[in-house]
Amino acid sequence: MSDNQSSSSEAAIAELLAIMARLRDPDGGCPWDLKQTFDTVVPYTVEEAFEVAEAVARRDYPELREELGDLLLQVVFHSQMAREQGLFDFAEVVAVLNEKMVRRHPHVFGDEGAADAEAVKVNWEVIKAGERARKGREHDSALDGVPEGLPALQRAHKLQKKASKVGFDWRQPAPVRDQVGLELAELDRALEEGDRDAIEDELGDVFFTLVNLARHLKLDPDLALRRASDKFERRFRRVERLADAPLSDYDEAGLDALWRQAKKTP
């Protein structure tokens, strides 16, 4: 990065921090921004992260640029609230990140070697375990480090990957596929009994096992579901265009005919 680019970036960040501080200023700031807390901002932080992911999935790079800015705003917002409470500020957030990135990449910034990406991942986990120990967070379980706040599909996937690293896993996809059938059979029994708690429990097991199957097939379950949702949306919109009356006026056979017609278009 040239000196001019560095100066421009520093000026832009300084301006962003000043804007956020002004929005949070009790003397003439924005009433909405002043009302916010860490807890109330978190849902927006999560939402912005998903919007970044959506822009990447669509390869919409102008949109990605904007969404990354919105995500950065979330970091600045949290940092400003923390500064007001004397906890930390944006500069400290960046400093901690810089130190962490250097510490976790000894093969780049130190003398250690890493032959490939897999070796980097192994070293990364060892370093993270050491960090937990220094913070007084001993390694109690192989599943440590999976946030409860992750979206359900991602959390299931990460839990399974953690368990797999210590050998708690099927070796091939076939038995996982068999387990899907067993879980569906248990769901059927719960449906026959009509126990809603049992139905929810068994349906959760079906989802969890499908995530496991995706993992064994080396597929991203979240991406697979996104593609299925996109496909459904395209086809449903075709159904709406094909219909010559409100969809609510069609019976089941009529809707099925429209759906089959919509599916003929790629």
Side-chain angles (χ1 to χ4, degrees):
M1 180 181 291
S2 69
D3 290 342
N4 287 340
Q5 287 175 314
S6 178
S7 296
S8 177
S9 296
E10 290 174 5
I13 292 172
E15 182 180 7
L16 174 59
L17 294 173
I19 290 171
M20 190 70 251
R22 180 73 180 89
L23 291 171
R24 289 279 299 180
D25 188 344
D27 183 15
C30 172
W32 186 90
D33 289 278
L34 284 165
K35 186 179 178 181
Q36 303 312 306
T37 66
F38 291 119
D39 292 326
T40 62
V41 173
V42 161
Y44 299 105
T45 307
V46 174
E47 181 179 344
E48 295 299 349
F50 275 109
E51 291 183 358
V52 167
E54 183 176 355
V56 170
R58 294 180 176 178
R59 299 296 185 265
D60 188 338
Y61 298 112
E63 184 71 13
L64 176 60
R65 178 182 59 192
E66 182 174 345
E67 297 301 344
L68 285 171
D70 290 344
L71 186 57
L72 176 58
L73 174 61
Q74 300 302 307
V75 178
V76 170
F77 206 145
H78 283 285
S79 298
Q80 173 63 26
M81 291 187 291
R83 187 180 72 81
E84 294 165 2
Q85 297 178 36
L87 302 173
F88 56 82
D89 61 16
F90 181 78
E92 291 175 85
V93 171
V94 175
V96 169
L97 174 60
N98 290 344
E99 192 275 333
K100 181 189 297 183
M101 293 301 289
V102 171
R103 184 175 68 250
R104 291 185 178 180
H105 292 83
H107 53 288
V108 176
F109 301 104
D111 298 328
E112 293 187 22
D116 51 30
E118 188 59 35
V120 172
K121 288 172 62 178
V122 171
N123 290 341
W124 184 278
E125 292 300 326
V126 171
I127 293 168
K128 286 178 66 176
E131 292 171 354
R132 284 194 296 268
R134 284 193 296 274
K135 293 177 181 178
R137 302 173 188 169
E138 295 297 334
H139 186 75
D140 296 324
S141 169
L143 303 182
D144 285 349
V146 180
E148 293 185 8
L150 281 177
L153 279 180
Q154 293 182 23
R155 184 163 184 259
H157 194 248
K158 283 185 173 292
L159 287 170
Q160 292 168 7
K161 286 176 65 176
K162 290 270 191 178
S164 180
K165 287 180 180 179
V166 294
F168 192 83
D169 200 1
W170 279 289
R171 299 295 184 263
Q172 300 293 331
V176 188
R177 174 61 186 88
D178 292 340
Q179 188 65 30
V180 172
L182 293 174
E183 298 296 349
L184 285 169
E186 292 183 7
L187 175 60
D188 287 340
R189 285 194 291 274
L191 288 168
E192 290 174 1
E193 295 169 0
D195 183 335
R196 290 195 60 81
D197 286 340
I199 292 170
E200 181 180 57
D201 188 60
E202 298 300 343
L203 182 60
D205 289 346
V206 172
F207 282 135
F208 192 84
T209 309
L210 285 172
V211 171
N212 212 350
L213 179 59
R215 184 173 60 84
H216 277 80
L217 295 175
K218 301 188 185 308
L219 295 172
D220 182 334
D222 188 75
L223 178 59
L225 183 56
R226 283 176 180 271
R227 292 181 64 179
S229 296
D230 289 344
K231 180 168 61 178
F232 172 81
E233 181 178 4
R234 289 194 304 272
R235 289 176 176 175
F236 184 83
R237 290 181 182 275
R238 291 189 200 119
V239 166
E240 291 178 314
R241 291 194 295 270
L242 290 168
D244 54 13
L247 293 182
S248 56
D249 291 350
Y250 284 80
D251 60 14
E252 188 172 339
L255 291 173
D256 184 62
L258 287 171
W259 182 255
R260 284 186 280 106
Q261 187 177 351
K263 287 177 64 176
K264 292 179 181 178
T265 303

